[in-house]
């Protein structure tokens, strides 16, 4: 048998043996010094811990900071008797830091020291805010044009060992979300990869897949930003932070839940630059816009918006606030949370742990002599009754209610034990809405609708004509052929769509509905009664927007039930 000696291999093995022997020795010495032993070779030291002590000081004192919680600094040392150790750590106490000492090997120290070079390439991240200048974001955004380009940048960062990956990945994640106007960022660990997705135009789209080893580093940094507990991984947590872009603040709401392969993160982006819609910028049909303006002109009454989460209810309510605001009136909001800050308006945020709920906030607001009140959501019987009573005592009240359509608002209020007679006097308008994606004007393609689509479109137009809704028909009439558009997709859009718009329906108090109230009416009875008033339904408004080339038949099929009668 031939034995071959490879010096490089043998030296490497000897080096590993020496390191293992040192680890065993340090474990024994930990009892002597009364310090807990720690092996830092497999841990990622926290950047904010490294920032507390300079690398040259750490090397001179034979120690390494590796973790920080509040003002408690965790420090590994190979020689607790080194006088330089106490000399360097003592001044930290005057800055409020408390050092927790651990015994570790030279290999552990070198592992931590190697991270200082990454620190020099990173940007400082403070708890609660990412300092991203407008110039920095603009520079990042110029590096990609499409989600495919963005994915390539992520892959390049992951393969470049010299980059400070965690910071770069997080910066690029938010830069991409802002460039593509994403409403949410989803970071989801899977068995063999980490998935990052954006919700763009209301639909989730894969952006990139990263190796699982990056998961802990990314999630810990995000937790630090949102001031969440790093050690809590088995329970859900909620937090928030902001991105300072110089000319704008982007609020980020974070939700974290445990999953099979790690914690799943969803971050909602609240960009104030995109929030300030006014009534003229929202795609209300002529009839519904007329009803809204009439309700807003009243000095009192309740206006309710309904729809699922993410259907644009808050944007609509803010548009109402902007419409009625003048310096001569007082407006108070109770929100959960305050999504966008409005100048000249008193905004308060629900804090359940401090017993400041929608109900207690509403009662407190009524003592502030307001003219207009916005309640983020009517969730229970007491809040519903106080809101309705506020409208009866001279206040204009805006709020949201969870129902599937506008007609369901009245039965829902009755379920919440609101007196039907009071509803008749207080309810000015109930508005239901959904968001649909709008076609990209650069690549949309016209086609002749097939038989199934022709049948449904004709039925809808015929129903509108029968119910005297010509004002909302946009000049379209029932036919045997319709030319509509489909999504194609190009470099300037996301799958053929670019942006979103709303579809709406409304219910307002009429003599017929007022008479129905005493009978505890169903949604169907409310719908039948309001149809005589010429107000389009969600389905009808959606079909008109398809015929106008604003969206596609497939898109509205995803959002509303087109077979509904």
């Amino acid at each position: 048998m031939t034995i071959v000696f490879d010096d490089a291999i043998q030296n490497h093995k000897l080096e590993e043996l020496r390191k293992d022997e040192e680890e065993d020795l340090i474990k024994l010495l930990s009892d002597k010094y009364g310090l807990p032993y720690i092996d830092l070779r497999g841990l990622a030291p926290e950047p904010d811990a490294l920032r507390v002590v300079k690398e040259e000081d750490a090397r001179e004192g034979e120690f390494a900071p590796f973790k920080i919680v509040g003002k408690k600094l965790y420090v590994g040392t190979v020689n607790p008797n080194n006088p330089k150790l106490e000399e360097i750590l003592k001044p930290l106490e005057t800055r409020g830091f408390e050092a927790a000492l651990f015994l570790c090997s030279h290999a552990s120290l070198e592992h931590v020291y190697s991270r200082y070079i990454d620190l020099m390439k990173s940007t400082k991240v403070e708890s609660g805010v990412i300092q991203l200048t407008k110039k920095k974001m603009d520079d990042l955004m110029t590096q990609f044009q499409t989600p495919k380009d963005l994915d390539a940048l992520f892959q390049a960062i992951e393969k470049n060992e010299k980059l400070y990956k965690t910071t770069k990945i997080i910066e690029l994640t938010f830069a991409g979300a802002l460039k593509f106007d994403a409403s949410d960022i989803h970071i989801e660990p899977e068995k063999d990869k980490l998935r990052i997705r954006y919700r763009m135009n209301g639909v989730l789209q894969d952006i990139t897949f990263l190796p699982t080893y990056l998961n802990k580093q990314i999630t810990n940094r995000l937790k630090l930003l949102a001031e969440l507990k790093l050690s809590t991984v088995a329970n859900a947590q909620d937090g928030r932070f902001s991105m300072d872009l110089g000319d704008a603040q982007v609020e980020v709401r974070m939700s974290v839940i445990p999953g099979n392969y790690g914690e799943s993160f969803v971050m909602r982006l609240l960009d104030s630059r995109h929030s300030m819609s006014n009534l003229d910028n929202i795609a209300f049909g002529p009839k519904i816009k007329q009803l809204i303006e009439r309700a807003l002109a009243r000095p009192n009454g309740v206006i309710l918006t309904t729809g699922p989460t993410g259907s644009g209810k808050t944007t609509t309510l803010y548009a109402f606030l902007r419409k009625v605001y003048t310096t001569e009136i007082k407006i108070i909001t109770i929100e959960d949370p305050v999504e966008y800050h409005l100048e000249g308006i008193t905004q308060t945020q629900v804090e359940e742990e401090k017993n400041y709920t929608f109900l207690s906030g509403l009662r407190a607001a009524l003592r502030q002599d307001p003219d207009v009140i916005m309640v983020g959501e009517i969730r229970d019987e007491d809040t519903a009754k106080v809101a309705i009573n506020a409208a009866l005592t001279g206040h204009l009240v805006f709020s949201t209610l969870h129902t599937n359509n506008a007609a369901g608002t009245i039965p829902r209020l009755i379920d919440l034990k609101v007196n039907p007679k009071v509803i008749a006097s207080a309810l000015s308008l109930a508005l239901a809405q959904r968001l649909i994606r709008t076609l990209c004007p650069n690549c949309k393609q016209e086609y002749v609708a097939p038989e199934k689509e022709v049948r449904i479109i004709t039925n809808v137009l015929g129903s509108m004509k029968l119910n005297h809704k010509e004002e909302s028909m946009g000049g379209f009439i029932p036919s045997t052929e319709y030319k509509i558009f489909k999504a194609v997709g190009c470099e300037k859009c996301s799958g053929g769509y670019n942006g979103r718009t709303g579809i709406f329906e409304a219910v307002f108090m009429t003599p017929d509905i007022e008479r129905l109230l005493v009978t505890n009416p169903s949604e169907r009875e409310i719908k039948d009664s309001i149809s005589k008033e010429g107000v389009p339904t969600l389905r009808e408004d959606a079909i008109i927007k398809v015929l106008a080339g604003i969206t596609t038949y497939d898109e509205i099929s995803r959002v509303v039930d087109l077979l509904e009668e």
Side-chain angles (χ1 to χ4, degrees), residues 222-241:
L222 291 172
K223 281 185 172 182
L224 178 66
L225 287 170
E227 299 182 341
L228 301 181
K229 295 179 180 178
L230 298 180
S231 58
T232 299
V233 295
N235 296 311
Q237 295 190 78
D238 294 306
R240 62 186 298 144
F241 59 91

PDB file of all heavy atoms in Angstrom, residues 222-241:
ATOM      1  N   LEU A 222     -34.102  42.936  10.542  1.00  0.00           N
ATOM      2  CA  LEU A 222     -35.444  43.507  10.425  1.00  0.00           C
ATOM      3  C   LEU A 222     -36.116  43.619  11.797  1.00  0.00           C
ATOM      4  O   LEU A 222     -36.800  44.590  12.087  1.00  0.00           O
ATOM      5  CB  LEU A 222     -36.305  42.659   9.481  1.00  0.00           C
ATOM      6  CG  LEU A 222     -35.894  42.705   8.000  1.00  0.00           C
ATOM      7  CD1 LEU A 222     -36.698  41.682   7.202  1.00  0.00           C
ATOM      8  CD2 LEU A 222     -36.101  44.102   7.427  1.00  0.00           C
ATOM      9  N   LYS A 223     -35.900  42.610  12.639  1.00  0.00           N
ATOM     10  CA  LYS A 223     -36.448  42.664  13.997  1.00  0.00           C
ATOM     11  C   LYS A 223     -35.850  43.828  14.773  1.00  0.00           C
ATOM     12  O   LYS A 223     -36.557  44.511  15.533  1.00  0.00           O
ATOM     13  CB  LYS A 223     -36.170  41.354  14.742  1.00  0.00           C
ATOM     14  CG  LYS A 223     -37.111  40.216  14.392  1.00  0.00           C
ATOM     15  CD  LYS A 223     -36.799  39.029  15.290  1.00  0.00           C
ATOM     16  CE  LYS A 223     -37.821  37.931  15.127  1.00  0.00           C
ATOM     17  NZ  LYS A 223     -37.558  36.796  16.037  1.00  0.00           N
ATOM     18  N   LEU A 224     -34.559  44.032  14.601  1.00  0.00           N
ATOM     19  CA  LEU A 224     -33.901  45.144  15.276  1.00  0.00           C
ATOM     20  C   LEU A 224     -34.510  46.473  14.842  1.00  0.00           C
ATOM     21  O   LEU A 224     -34.766  47.354  15.672  1.00  0.00           O
ATOM     22  CB  LEU A 224     -32.405  45.120  14.962  1.00  0.00           C
ATOM     23  CG  LEU A 224     -31.556  46.239  15.559  1.00  0.00           C
ATOM     24  CD1 LEU A 224     -31.513  46.131  17.071  1.00  0.00           C
ATOM     25  CD2 LEU A 224     -30.151  46.213  14.987  1.00  0.00           C
ATOM     26  N   LEU A 225     -34.759  46.613  13.558  1.00  0.00           N
ATOM     27  CA  LEU A 225     -35.359  47.841  13.039  1.00  0.00           C
ATOM     28  C   LEU A 225     -36.724  48.103  13.658  1.00  0.00           C
ATOM     29  O   LEU A 225     -37.069  49.229  13.996  1.00  0.00           O
ATOM     30  CB  LEU A 225     -35.488  47.761  11.515  1.00  0.00           C
ATOM     31  CG  LEU A 225     -34.199  47.890  10.711  1.00  0.00           C
ATOM     32  CD1 LEU A 225     -34.455  47.539   9.255  1.00  0.00           C
ATOM     33  CD2 LEU A 225     -33.655  49.301  10.814  1.00  0.00           C
ATOM     34  N   ALA A 226     -37.518  47.029  13.772  1.00  0.00           N
ATOM     35  CA  ALA A 226     -38.884  47.175  14.275  1.00  0.00           C
ATOM     36  C   ALA A 226     -38.976  47.056  15.788  1.00  0.00           C
ATOM     37  O   ALA A 226     -40.076  47.039  16.341  1.00  0.00           O
ATOM     38  CB  ALA A 226     -39.790  46.130  13.626  1.00  0.00           C
ATOM     39  N   GLU A 227     -37.808  46.950  16.448  1.00  0.00           N
ATOM     40  CA  GLU A 227     -37.741  46.853  17.909  1.00  0.00           C
ATOM     41  C   GLU A 227     -38.526  45.654  18.436  1.00  0.00           C
ATOM     42  O   GLU A 227     -39.254  45.741  19.422  1.00  0.00           O
ATOM     43  CB  GLU A 227     -38.222  48.160  18.565  1.00  0.00           C
ATOM     44  CG  GLU A 227     -37.368  49.365  18.180  1.00  0.00           C
ATOM     45  CD  GLU A 227     -37.815  50.650  18.861  1.00  0.00           C
ATOM     46  OE1 GLU A 227     -38.962  50.694  19.324  1.00  0.00           O
ATOM     47  OE2 GLU A 227     -37.015  51.588  18.919  1.00  0.00           O
ATOM     48  N   LEU A 228     -38.361  44.511  17.741  1.00  0.00           N
ATOM     49  CA  LEU A 228     -38.980  43.264  18.174  1.00  0.00           C
ATOM     50  C   LEU A 228     -37.957  42.429  18.944  1.00  0.00           C
ATOM     51  O   LEU A 228     -36.755  42.667  18.870  1.00  0.00           O
ATOM     52  CB  LEU A 228     -39.493  42.474  16.964  1.00  0.00           C
ATOM     53  CG  LEU A 228     -40.525  43.173  16.077  1.00  0.00           C
ATOM     54  CD1 LEU A 228     -40.940  42.250  14.940  1.00  0.00           C
ATOM     55  CD2 LEU A 228     -41.737  43.606  16.878  1.00  0.00           C
ATOM     56  N   LYS A 229     -38.429  41.435  19.661  1.00  0.00           N
ATOM     57  CA  LYS A 229     -37.554  40.579  20.456  1.00  0.00           C
ATOM     58  C   LYS A 229     -36.844  39.580  19.543  1.00  0.00           C
ATOM     59  O   LYS A 229     -37.494  38.783  18.860  1.00  0.00           O
ATOM     60  CB  LYS A 229     -38.348  39.839  21.526  1.00  0.00           C
ATOM     61  CG  LYS A 229     -38.959  40.759  22.582  1.00  0.00           C
ATOM     62  CD  LYS A 229     -39.750  39.967  23.617  1.00  0.00           C
ATOM     63  CE  LYS A 229     -40.351  40.892  24.665  1.00  0.00           C
ATOM     64  NZ  LYS A 229     -41.168  40.135  25.652  1.00  0.00           N
ATOM     65  N   LEU A 230     -35.509  39.617  19.560  1.00  0.00           N
ATOM     66  CA  LEU A 230     -34.735  38.709  18.715  1.00  0.00           C
ATOM     67  C   LEU A 230     -34.888  37.263  19.168  1.00  0.00           C
ATOM     68  O   LEU A 230     -34.849  36.338  18.356  1.00  0.00           O
ATOM     69  CB  LEU A 230     -33.257  39.092  18.736  1.00  0.00           C
ATOM     70  CG  LEU A 230     -32.889  40.474  18.193  1.00  0.00           C
ATOM     71  CD1 LEU A 230     -31.383  40.682  18.290  1.00  0.00           C
ATOM     72  CD2 LEU A 230     -33.331  40.648  16.761  1.00  0.00           C
ATOM     73  N   SER A 231     -35.051  37.071  20.476  1.00  0.00           N
ATOM     74  CA  SER A 231     -35.104  35.712  21.018  1.00  0.00           C
ATOM     75  C   SER A 231     -36.463  35.047  20.833  1.00  0.00           C
ATOM     76  O   SER A 231     -36.579  33.831  20.986  1.00  0.00           O
ATOM     77  CB  SER A 231     -34.761  35.737  22.508  1.00  0.00           C
ATOM     78  OG  SER A 231     -35.660  36.588  23.217  1.00  0.00           O
ATOM     79  N   THR A 232     -37.490  35.816  20.509  1.00  0.00           N
ATOM     80  CA  THR A 232     -38.831  35.255  20.350  1.00  0.00           C
ATOM     81  C   THR A 232     -39.013  34.758  18.923  1.00  0.00           C
ATOM     82  O   THR A 232     -39.023  35.547  17.978  1.00  0.00           O
ATOM     83  CB  THR A 232     -39.911  36.310  20.671  1.00  0.00           C
ATOM     84  OG1 THR A 232     -39.762  36.734  22.028  1.00  0.00           O
ATOM     85  CG2 THR A 232     -41.297  35.737  20.473  1.00  0.00           C
ATOM     86  N   VAL A 233     -39.125  33.443  18.769  1.00  0.00           N
ATOM     87  CA  VAL A 233     -39.302  32.865  17.435  1.00  0.00           C
ATOM     88  C   VAL A 233     -40.528  31.955  17.357  1.00  0.00           C
ATOM     89  O   VAL A 233     -40.900  31.514  16.272  1.00  0.00           O
ATOM     90  CB  VAL A 233     -38.046  32.064  17.011  1.00  0.00           C
ATOM     91  CG1 VAL A 233     -36.848  32.978  16.857  1.00  0.00           C
ATOM     92  CG2 VAL A 233     -37.746  30.943  17.992  1.00  0.00           C
ATOM     93  N   ALA A 234     -41.146  31.676  18.503  1.00  0.00           N
ATOM     94  CA  ALA A 234     -42.283  30.748  18.516  1.00  0.00           C
ATOM     95  C   ALA A 234     -43.624  31.464  18.556  1.00  0.00           C
ATOM     96  O   ALA A 234     -44.666  30.820  18.472  1.00  0.00           O
ATOM     97  CB  ALA A 234     -42.166  29.799  19.714  1.00  0.00           C
ATOM     98  N   ASN A 235     -43.613  32.788  18.682  1.00  0.00           N
ATOM     99  CA  ASN A 235     -44.858  33.548  18.768  1.00  0.00           C
ATOM    100  C   ASN A 235     -44.879  34.659  17.725  1.00  0.00           C
ATOM    101  O   ASN A 235     -43.833  35.120  17.255  1.00  0.00           O
ATOM    102  CB  ASN A 235     -45.011  34.163  20.166  1.00  0.00           C
ATOM    103  CG  ASN A 235     -45.138  33.110  21.240  1.00  0.00           C
ATOM    104  OD1 ASN A 235     -45.922  32.180  21.126  1.00  0.00           O
ATOM    105  ND2 ASN A 235     -44.335  33.242  22.290  1.00  0.00           N
ATOM    106  N   ALA A 236     -46.081  35.095  17.385  1.00  0.00           N
ATOM    107  CA  ALA A 236     -46.237  36.197  16.432  1.00  0.00           C
ATOM    108  C   ALA A 236     -45.834  37.513  17.089  1.00  0.00           C
ATOM    109  O   ALA A 236     -46.002  37.696  18.301  1.00  0.00           O
ATOM    110  CB  ALA A 236     -47.684  36.270  15.954  1.00  0.00           C
ATOM    111  N   GLN A 237     -45.282  38.428  16.297  1.00  0.00           N
ATOM    112  CA  GLN A 237     -44.928  39.762  16.774  1.00  0.00           C
ATOM    113  C   GLN A 237     -45.318  40.793  15.714  1.00  0.00           C
ATOM    114  O   GLN A 237     -45.348  40.492  14.522  1.00  0.00           O
ATOM    115  CB  GLN A 237     -43.416  39.871  17.034  1.00  0.00           C
ATOM    116  CG  GLN A 237     -42.880  38.999  18.145  1.00  0.00           C
ATOM    117  CD  GLN A 237     -41.437  39.347  18.477  1.00  0.00           C
ATOM    118  OE1 GLN A 237     -41.149  40.333  19.166  1.00  0.00           O
ATOM    119  NE2 GLN A 237     -40.506  38.555  17.976  1.00  0.00           N
ATOM    120  N   ASP A 238     -45.617  41.995  16.158  1.00  0.00           N
ATOM    121  CA  ASP A 238     -45.928  43.097  15.262  1.00  0.00           C
ATOM    122  C   ASP A 238     -45.065  44.293  15.641  1.00  0.00           C
ATOM    123  O   ASP A 238     -44.851  44.568  16.833  1.00  0.00           O
ATOM    124  CB  ASP A 238     -47.405  43.498  15.352  1.00  0.00           C
ATOM    125  CG  ASP A 238     -48.321  42.396  14.849  1.00  0.00           C
ATOM    126  OD1 ASP A 238     -48.119  41.952  13.711  1.00  0.00           O
ATOM    127  OD2 ASP A 238     -49.229  41.975  15.589  1.00  0.00           O
ATOM    128  N   GLY A 239     -44.595  45.006  14.650  1.00  0.00           N
ATOM    129  CA  GLY A 239     -43.785  46.198  14.903  1.00  0.00           C
ATOM    130  C   GLY A 239     -43.866  47.152  13.729  1.00  0.00           C
ATOM    131  O   GLY A 239     -44.578  46.912  12.755  1.00  0.00           O
ATOM    132  N   ARG A 240     -43.120  48.228  13.836  1.00  0.00           N
ATOM    133  CA  ARG A 240     -43.098  49.211  12.749  1.00  0.00           C
ATOM    134  C   ARG A 240     -41.805  50.003  12.813  1.00  0.00           C
ATOM    135  O   ARG A 240     -41.171  50.111  13.852  1.00  0.00           O
ATOM    136  CB  ARG A 240     -44.319  50.131  12.821  1.00  0.00           C
ATOM    137  CG  ARG A 240     -44.433  50.985  14.072  1.00  0.00           C
ATOM    138  CD  ARG A 240     -45.756  51.730  14.093  1.00  0.00           C
ATOM    139  NE  ARG A 240     -45.885  52.641  12.970  1.00  0.00           N
ATOM    140  CZ  ARG A 240     -47.040  52.873  12.335  1.00  0.00           C
ATOM    141  NH1 ARG A 240     -48.135  52.250  12.711  1.00  0.00           N
ATOM    142  NH2 ARG A 240     -47.093  53.723  11.340  1.00  0.00           N
ATOM    143  N   PHE A 241     -41.408  50.531  11.682  1.00  0.00           N
ATOM    144  CA  PHE A 241     -40.270  51.440  11.610  1.00  0.00           C
ATOM    145  C   PHE A 241     -40.471  52.332  10.402  1.00  0.00           C
ATOM    146  O   PHE A 241     -41.497  52.245   9.714  1.00  0.00           O
ATOM    147  CB  PHE A 241     -38.938  50.679  11.541  1.00  0.00           C
ATOM    148  CG  PHE A 241     -38.799  49.758  10.368  1.00  0.00           C
ATOM    149  CD1 PHE A 241     -38.235  50.193   9.181  1.00  0.00           C
ATOM    150  CD2 PHE A 241     -39.220  48.434  10.457  1.00  0.00           C
ATOM    151  CE1 PHE A 241     -38.094  49.345   8.096  1.00  0.00           C
ATOM    152  CE2 PHE A 241     -39.093  47.574   9.379  1.00  0.00           C
ATOM    153  CZ  PHE A 241     -38.530  48.031   8.195  1.00  0.00           C
TER     154      PHE A 241
END
